Amino acid sequence: RYNSLPGEIGENIVQSEKLLNLDWRIDIELGNNLAERTQNPLAFVQIDSLKKDTNEVNSVVFQLNKQELNNLYENFNKIKDQIDMLVSE
């Protein structure tokens, strides 16, 4: 339901953006020995989209820790499951 989405998300849907690219990398800080190594690697994600009406490319870059990545993954799985249910009907 588009009407139940927060403002900016709803605006982007109205503007009809299309996903162009998704890039990511994992950053891990390394120390001199095992005790100094960080236990909190971060995922950096860049999503590029195209506004169909203006052909303007927009890029969004953000970072996720392990918990945030798990939450995103779970939400994408919920979306996939709902789409699968609609397609299978």
Side-chain angles (χ1 to χ4, degrees), residues 12-13 15-23 46-61:
N12 285 339
I13 290 172
Q15 295 173 359
S16 296
E17 292 194 21
K18 177 182 177 182
L19 177 66
L20 290 178
N21 192 33
L22 186 142
D23 286 322
Q46 178 175 337
I47 298 175
D48 300 323
S49 63
L50 176 70
K51 283 188 182 179
K52 291 181 181 179
D53 56 345
T54 63
N55 283 336
E56 178 184 346
V57 176
N58 293 316
S59 293
V60 177
V61 178

Side-chain angles (χ1 to χ4, degrees), residues 10 14 19 30-31 34 38 42 47 61 64 75:
V14 172
L19 177 66
L30 297 177
L34 186 59
T38 182
L42 294 173
I47 298 175
V61 178
L64 301 162
N75 280 303

